[in-house]
Amino acid sequence: MKKIVLGLLAFGLTTQAFSQIVKTENLSEVTVYATNYKYLNDVNTMEVASVPVQLLERKVASYNIKDSDFYQDDYDLYNITFFIPEGKILAAYDKDGKLIRTAEKFKDINLPTSVKTAVLDRFPEWTITKDVYLVNYKDGKGAKKTYKLKLENGDKVLRVKLNEKGEFI
């Protein structure tokens, strides 16, 4: 019995040795291009942004309008809305799938260091209780980023607006 088990084990291992022959095949060339790379370059902050914001912006940039169920050659403009619990993006695409403009709104995200330090320098005893991040992107003009913050100090409430550089508006 022992010889039969060892024989079957040896037979099983030797058959696998023959399965390691690799066939080489030539693959056709693939060209990869990003149609909406300008959008990602414009909305990209040079520091670590909030993860949900980055994920949704990448989804908007990589969305292919031609693969959607409602795509027809007759229309010149398609408005698509992307939702997550932290915010939403309304994106407008042309018939070729190029991103024309976006309107973005995110709540309670990780603020950039420039915004945090500007608020801390100007309002040292205040705390940020709510924040809203707004982005308006237009092809050719770039992205305009605005932060609306609600500050509290005891019973006092103050609302301020800043741009991405930390300048008060």
Side-chain angles (χ1 to χ4, degrees), residues 6 49 51 53-54 72 74 84 98-99 107 111 119 138 140:
L6 288 175
V51 173
V53 174
Q54 281 185 339
Q72 295 178 2
D74 299 342
I84 57 172
K98 184 178 178 186
L99 188 61
K107 293 182 180 179
L111 296 172
V119 171
K138 289 187 180 175

Side-chain angles (χ1 to χ4, degrees), residues 29-45:
E29 290 184 26
V30 176
T31 304
V32 178
Y33 63 94
T35 57
N36 297 318
Y37 70 93
K38 291 180 184 177
Y39 166 72
L40 285 178
N41 288 340
D42 284 342
V43 297
N44 183 22
T45 57

Side-chain angles (χ1 to χ4, degrees), residues 2-169:
K2 187 176 179 182
K3 290 182 180 181
I4 294 173
V5 172
L6 288 175
L8 288 174
L9 181 64
F11 180 72
L13 292 176
T14 56
T15 56
Q16 291 179 1
F18 292 109
S19 67
Q20 299 298 322
I21 298 172
V22 178
K23 296 179 183 178
T24 58
E25 294 183 20
N26 292 329
L27 300 175
S28 62
E29 290 184 26
V30 176
T31 304
V32 178
Y33 63 94
T35 57
N36 297 318
Y37 70 93
K38 291 180 184 177
Y39 166 72
L40 285 178
N41 288 340
D42 284 342
V43 297
N44 183 22
T45 57
M46 292 306 180
E47 52 188 274
V48 178
S50 186
V51 173
V53 174
Q54 281 185 339
L55 292 176
L56 198 58
E57 287 175 345
R58 288 182 183 172
K59 182 71 174 173
V60 168
S62 64
Y63 186 75
N64 188 357
I65 193 74
K66 292 183 178 181
D67 289 343
S68 62
D69 295 337
F70 52 84
Y71 176 76
Q72 295 178 2
D73 288 334
D74 299 342
Y75 300 116
D76 292 334
L77 184 68
Y78 294 91
N79 291 319
I80 310 294
T81 306
F82 298 87
F83 290 100
I84 57 172
E86 291 84 1
K88 61 184 173 181
I89 297 178
L90 174 63
Y93 297 90
D94 65 2
K95 64 181 177 182
D96 297 326
K98 184 178 178 186
L99 188 61
I100 298 171
R101 63 182 176 270
T102 65
E104 307 175 25
K105 183 177 182 179
F106 297 96
K107 293 182 180 179
D108 298 326
I109 62 161
N110 183 21
L111 296 172
T113 308
S114 59
V115 172
K116 290 178 188 176
T117 56
V119 171
L120 183 63
D121 290 344
R122 190 162 176 183
F123 304 102
E125 299 295 322
W126 296 72
T127 58
I128 301 171
T129 56
K130 290 185 180 180
D131 63 86
V132 176
Y133 174 51
L134 302 169
V135 180
N136 289 317
Y137 168 79
K138 289 187 180 175
D139 188 33
K141 292 185 179 180
K144 180 183 175 189
K145 304 171 192 175
T146 308
Y147 295 89
K148 292 183 178 182
L149 306 176
K150 180 180 177 183
L151 306 174
E152 290 184 3
N153 185 2
D155 294 338
K156 300 175 187 174
V157 176
L158 184 64
R159 298 183 194 284
V160 294
K161 280 180 160 180
L162 291 93
N163 63 10
E164 72 271 9
K165 297 176 185 174
E167 299 168 348
F168 287 88
I169 302 173

